[in-house]
Amino acid sequence: WIDECCIRQETAAAKALDLYRSFKGWADERGEFCPSSKAMGSQLERMGFRKERPSGGPYRGSTIRRGIGLLAD
């Protein structure tokens, strides 16, 4: 999923919910197991994609992951 649907870049950011929805759709299309959003978040954290909750800007109030973004469809 990361290789097909995401970009790894230090300046990239994406909402955690958007990442999970993308992964869930990708896994469902392939009939693969989809972990809970919490388990996925833990795995992304282990991979170095840090979690933040900005207090301002376009992501204000949302949980985001830094270092990963979603590619446009």
Side-chain angles (χ1 to χ4, degrees):
W1 166 77
I2 289 177
D3 291 337
E4 292 179 31
C5 302
C6 300
I7 183 170
R8 294 179 190 213
Q9 189 174 26
E10 190 175 323
T11 58
K15 288 182 180 181
L17 182 59
D18 292 343
L19 290 170
Y20 184 72
R21 285 180 177 159
S22 172
F23 178 73
K24 183 168 177 20
W26 181 89
D28 287 349
E29 285 177 6
R30 289 159 180 74
E32 294 188 20
F33 171 74
C34 182
S36 68
S37 60
K38 185 174 181 175
M40 182 186 170
S42 294
Q43 180 63 30
L44 290 173
E45 191 77 26
R46 284 190 295 275
M47 295 173 74
F49 303 117
R50 67 191 183 282
K51 178 171 81 170
E52 293 181 12
R53 194 160 173 97
S55 60
Y59 297 116
R60 181 176 185 257
S62 297
T63 299
I64 64 166
R65 291 280 167 185
R66 293 279 183 192
I68 188 170
L70 289 169
L71 295 172
D73 291 328

